Every structure is written in C-alpha cells, then in structure tokens.
Amino acid sequence: MKGKVWPGECNFPDYTNPEVREWWAGLFKELISDFGVKGVWNDMNEPAVMEVPGKTFPMDVRHDYDGNPCSHRKAHNIYGTQMARATYEGVKQFAYPKRPFIITRSAYSGAQRYSSSWTGDNVASWEHLWIANIQMQRMSISGMGFTGSDIGGFAEQPSGELYARWIQLGVFHPFCRTHSSGDHGDQEPWSFDIDVINITRKFVELRYQLLPYLYTMFWEYINDGVPMLKPLFYFDQDDSQTHYRTDEFIFGNQILVCPILEPNAQGRRMYLPIGNWYNFWTDELISGRKELWVKTDYDQIPIFVKEGAIIPKYPVQQYVGELDFEEISLDVYYKLGKEKSVLYEDAQDGYDYNKGRFSLATFTLRGKESDLIIQQHKEGKFETNYSKFKINLHGLPFKIKKIEIDNELVSFDKVQFDGKHTLTIDKEFSELHIIGL
C-alpha cells in the first residue's frame, strides 16, 4: 500500500504478515548493532494517510492477517500493534543483552507486551489536560500501563500556567515526556517565566526521587498485572462515591494524586478514598471517604500518602546513574496498626532478574501508641550499590526514647538520630524497633 505522509509518498508494509514482520525486524541490525540506537518510536501507524477520505487505508485494502486473508476493515485496529511487535522483536534481537525500548502511537489489546505508548497529537488546552488525566487512568486499567501524554500539548502554544499544571500531572504518569510539534515557537520550561522553571525543576526532581517507587510499580504491573495508576473506583470499589470520580487517582499503591485542571486555581475540591491519608506537603493526617477543599499554592498540587506507607526515594539526580550513592531514603508514615510496602530493584537493564538477580524487600510496619516496629523480609540475589537506609519518620505521635535494631539496643549516635524524626541504619536490618516515652 502506498500513501502520502510527512515525507511524501510512503510505503506501508503489511505487518499482519509474519514474513513481513520478520523482514522488518531484520532491518534494525544496522541501527541498533552498528549505530548504537537504543530505542525506536513508531509513529503514524494507525495507519495514518494524508489527503485521502478517512485519513487511513481504503477499507478494501487486503491483509494477510497471519494466513487468514481479510480486508482493512478487519485489520485496521491490529495494524499498529503488529508494527510495534515486529519492531520489538528486531530491537530485542540486536540490543541483547540489553532490554528493548519501543514507543508506538497506535496500539490494540496485547500491545503492552511490546511497547510503550502515548496519546497522540493533543492540543495545548485545559480541556486536553483534563482528558489526559482520564485517558491515563483508563489506559492503565485496560492493561496498557506504560503510557503518557505530550506534556504541554503537541499543537498550539500553552500558557506558562497550563504548562506548569501539565508537568505537575505528567510526572505521575508512567511515560513522562514533554513534547510539541515545534511549529508554534519554543515550549521548553525556560521559554516561560522563572516560576514555571522552578515548578518544572521541583516536580522533575520529585519524579527522580520516586524512581525506586516507580520501578517497583512497573515490577508489580509486569509480574502481577496490577495497574500502575488506579482510579478511585478501582481502589475503593465498595464506596459508591468513588464510582463518579475521575480527577483523583492512586499512583502505585500508596500515593494519591489530584491534579489542578483549571486556570487561576487557589486549590480544589477532591475526594479521599478509604483509609487515613497524610498531606504530602504538610504531613497533616486526614481520614478518608469524604470530600474536602484542599488549598494549594501555584507550585503544588494535592498529593496524599497512605497512612503506614514506606516510600523509597533516591537522591536527586540529573540523569539515571549519575550518582553512586551510599544510601537511599525511606519515608515512613506512622500508622496505628499494620501496613505492608515493597521495594523491588535489579540491574535496571538486561535479563539477569530471571536468574534470581533481583532484590525484593517487603517492609511490614506495625504501629502502636508508644512504639513502632518495621520488619524487613528480603528475597533475591541482587546486591544494590547503596548500603544504608535513611529513615524519615512522618506523623510519629510520641517522642523517641530508645532504638533497637534486630533486638539490640543502639545508641542515637550510631544511627545518626537527629533527635526528632531522622535516623540512618544498615540496609540489611531485619527489625527496627522505635520505642517512645
């Protein structure tokens, strides 16, 4: 099939033909093996054709359809996924022992096995920011989890405020990318004012800190099929109030995000689902299953952390692997009761995790009125580069009197306790017992 696209007349292979997919995969040898390309982005593969009615193939175009010949009317939806599949197989073959990275614009059920995706050519408008928020939640619970939108809008020019609000949402999407057509001037953060630059820096740094939490989300998604973004109705199905909420979502299992979707907002009304939640910015503890007004500054959006959560954080980096750090942080949110959290890590590339070279730490928090116990159970043979955890305690209702590690009393100096809520311990601990007055 020939048709006009951006470069002019283009050729569209029949990716529903297994021989064509094999041929296409072989084309990546030069790009990947010889030139060192690390990933491939498939675009216009709905398929999109310009200057024709319907903007796609005529419905009578024939496809092999894996030995079951059919018209494009039947093959249309699967076409882009089969292109992503062929691309994945080629990049995987020639990038080995590294993992392939594929992006596709068009996808169908099953494409999550081969590719990440994004929502296509959106517009720099508040409506499209609102749509992006809903799209990501629906894509996530539909199985296509590694997805995001063009932050700031692909077409037209966003205001600084719209761009900032989109960044504040986009860093909580699995696929995080600011992108535009480039036809309407610059759209980098520094194209706007100093406030937008500072907000962008603040939230990009937050995403880099949350990378171990995000990586654990991916592991759970791949391993157990758990959606990385959870609409409130998924998270708290017994509460009929959540059935009508689309703005708020759960990022992973323990962080609640509610974006600002209107201009000139001083805050917004939102709904907290079941449980008790700490305001991320203030540490105020609020009970759930109710609607509330949350005041926020321009450089904030409502973010809440589930009571009892243990959130792992890296130091701020300018790129992954920049720093060889000796410790990572565990933000511990006190709960009167029991809560489990997990931290999954591996080499972040390659396939050695299939040979048991991974680290899976399960933290069990047990809070009482005057003490707090954190137990760690570890699985896997992977050794992380860091050797210590910096424990940041949130919401502790008592003053710390003693600290025990693996049933041994330790001095405050040994764990660098600051007298309030921060201490540092060896990462290999089995039980941390914090005892209050």
Side-chain angles (χ1 to χ4, degrees), residues 156-173:
E156 301 182 12
Q157 181 74 39
S159 66
E161 183 186 12
L162 175 59
Y163 184 86
R165 293 305 191 191
W166 214 317
I167 279 282
Q168 291 169 337
L169 171 64
V171 298
F172 293 104
H173 288 158

Side-chain angles (χ1 to χ4, degrees), residues 383-394:
E383 284 294 327
T384 59
N385 291 332
Y386 61 86
S387 59
K388 297 181 179 182
F389 289 132
K390 183 177 182 180
I391 309 292
N392 300 313
L393 300 166
H394 298 261

Side-chain angles (χ1 to χ4, degrees), residues 234-251:
Y234 180 98
F235 183 80
D236 187 5
Q237 298 178 33
D238 293 332
D239 181 2
S240 61
Q241 292 297 315
T242 68
H243 299 177
Y244 307 96
R245 306 297 307 194
T246 57
D247 288 355
E248 310 89 349
F249 63 92
I250 308 295
F251 176 69

Side-chain angles (χ1 to χ4, degrees), residues 242-344:
T242 68
H243 299 177
Y244 307 96
R245 306 297 307 194
T246 57
D247 288 355
E248 310 89 349
F249 63 92
I250 308 295
F251 176 69
N253 295 316
Q254 296 165 318
I255 297 178
L256 171 64
V257 178
C258 186
I260 300 293
L261 303 171
E262 296 178 345
N264 305 313
Q266 304 295 312
R268 62 159 300 151
R269 295 205 70 80
M270 61 171 292
Y271 190 81
L272 286 181
I274 190 170
N276 297 322
W277 299 85
Y278 285 89
N279 185 314
F280 177 79
W281 308 108
T282 67
D283 273 355
E284 179 188 3
L285 186 62
I286 303 174
S287 60
R289 283 194 167 171
K290 66 182 179 186
E291 191 175 64
L292 67 156
W293 169 266
V294 181
K295 183 182 182 301
T296 59
D297 296 326
Y298 183 28
D299 65 344
Q300 295 178 356
I301 60 172
I303 302 172
F304 289 82
V305 181
K306 189 180 179 185
E307 179 187 48
I310 297 178
I311 307 294
K313 285 182 177 179
Y314 286 158
V316 172
Q317 302 175 84
Q318 298 308 306
Y319 55 88
V320 173
E322 179 197 20
L323 303 179
D324 186 17
F325 38 82
E326 294 185 357
E327 68 180 31
I328 71 168
S329 297
L330 296 180
D331 280 13
V332 177
Y333 290 84
Y334 172 84
K335 176 181 182 178
L336 184 62
K338 180 180 175 182
E339 188 78 22
K340 281 194 174 182
S341 303
V342 294
L343 169 59
Y344 174 86

Side-chain angles (χ1 to χ4, degrees), residues 95-386:
Y96 189 85
K98 302 296 185 182
R99 302 175 197 167
F101 178 61
I102 312 299
I103 311 173
T104 188
R105 191 168 85 176
S106 180
Y108 189 65
S109 180
Q112 70 275 6
R113 291 173 288 176
Y114 312 118
S115 180
S116 63
S117 185
W118 89 106
T119 58
D121 296 347
N122 56 6
V123 175
S125 70
W126 290 95
E127 181 188 16
H128 276 223
L129 172 61
W130 172 77
I131 290 172
N133 182 35
I134 298 174
Q135 279 181 305
M136 293 310 100
Q137 296 178 50
R138 293 178 177 176
M139 292 289 280
S140 188
I141 62 171
S142 298
M144 194 72 189
F146 194 3
T147 309
S149 68
D150 280 351
I151 294 173
F154 178 78
E156 301 182 12
Q157 181 74 39
S159 66
E161 183 186 12
L162 175 59
Y163 184 86
R165 293 305 191 191
W166 214 317
I167 279 282
Q168 291 169 337
L169 171 64
V171 298
F172 293 104
H173 288 158
F175 184 64
C176 175
R177 178 184 69 167
T178 178
H179 178 60
S180 76
S181 67
D183 294 334
H184 50 259
D186 295 331
Q187 195 169 299
E188 289 80 12
W190 49 89
S191 305
F192 305 99
D193 58 35
I194 189 66
D195 288 340
V196 175
I197 293 175
N198 289 335
I199 290 169
T200 302
R201 180 186 294 111
K202 178 177 180 175
F203 277 81
V204 169
E205 287 182 349
L206 177 58
R207 182 179 175 90
Y208 270 75
Q209 287 180 293
L210 289 173
L211 282 180
Y213 181 86
L214 182 64
Y215 202 74
T216 302
M217 285 166 49
F218 268 92
W219 168 78
E220 195 170 22
Y221 164 61
I222 297 300
N223 204 54
D224 300 328
V226 176
M228 289 188 279
L229 307 183
K230 301 170 180 63
L232 292 197
F233 67 79
Y234 180 98
F235 183 80
D236 187 5
Q237 298 178 33
D238 293 332
D239 181 2
S240 61
Q241 292 297 315
T242 68
H243 299 177
Y244 307 96
R245 306 297 307 194
T246 57
D247 288 355
E248 310 89 349
F249 63 92
I250 308 295
F251 176 69
N253 295 316
Q254 296 165 318
I255 297 178
L256 171 64
V257 178
C258 186
I260 300 293
L261 303 171
E262 296 178 345
N264 305 313
Q266 304 295 312
R268 62 159 300 151
R269 295 205 70 80
M270 61 171 292
Y271 190 81
L272 286 181
I274 190 170
N276 297 322
W277 299 85
Y278 285 89
N279 185 314
F280 177 79
W281 308 108
T282 67
D283 273 355
E284 179 188 3
L285 186 62
I286 303 174
S287 60
R289 283 194 167 171
K290 66 182 179 186
E291 191 175 64
L292 67 156
W293 169 266
V294 181
K295 183 182 182 301
T296 59
D297 296 326
Y298 183 28
D299 65 344
Q300 295 178 356
I301 60 172
I303 302 172
F304 289 82
V305 181
K306 189 180 179 185
E307 179 187 48
I310 297 178
I311 307 294
K313 285 182 177 179
Y314 286 158
V316 172
Q317 302 175 84
Q318 298 308 306
Y319 55 88
V320 173
E322 179 197 20
L323 303 179
D324 186 17
F325 38 82
E326 294 185 357
E327 68 180 31
I328 71 168
S329 297
L330 296 180
D331 280 13
V332 177
Y333 290 84
Y334 172 84
K335 176 181 182 178
L336 184 62
K338 180 180 175 182
E339 188 78 22
K340 281 194 174 182
S341 303
V342 294
L343 169 59
Y344 174 86
E345 296 173 283
D346 58 27
Q348 300 180 359
D349 207 345
Y351 300 93
D352 280 356
Y353 62 87
N354 289 321
K355 303 173 185 176
R357 295 190 181 95
F358 62 86
S359 171
L360 177 61
T362 302
F363 301 104
T364 303
L365 178 147
R366 290 183 174 87
K368 298 181 181 178
E369 290 183 357
S370 60
D371 70 346
L372 177 67
I373 295 174
I374 300 171
Q375 295 174 320
Q376 178 184 202
H377 173 71
K378 294 197 72 173
E379 301 174 49
K381 298 182 289 186
F382 179 72
E383 284 294 327
T384 59
N385 291 332
Y386 61 86

Side-chain angles (χ1 to χ4, degrees), residues 46-59:
E46 284 71 25
V49 183
M50 296 177 176
E51 299 181 3
V52 296
K55 305 298 183 182
T56 190
F57 290 1
M59 288 298 109

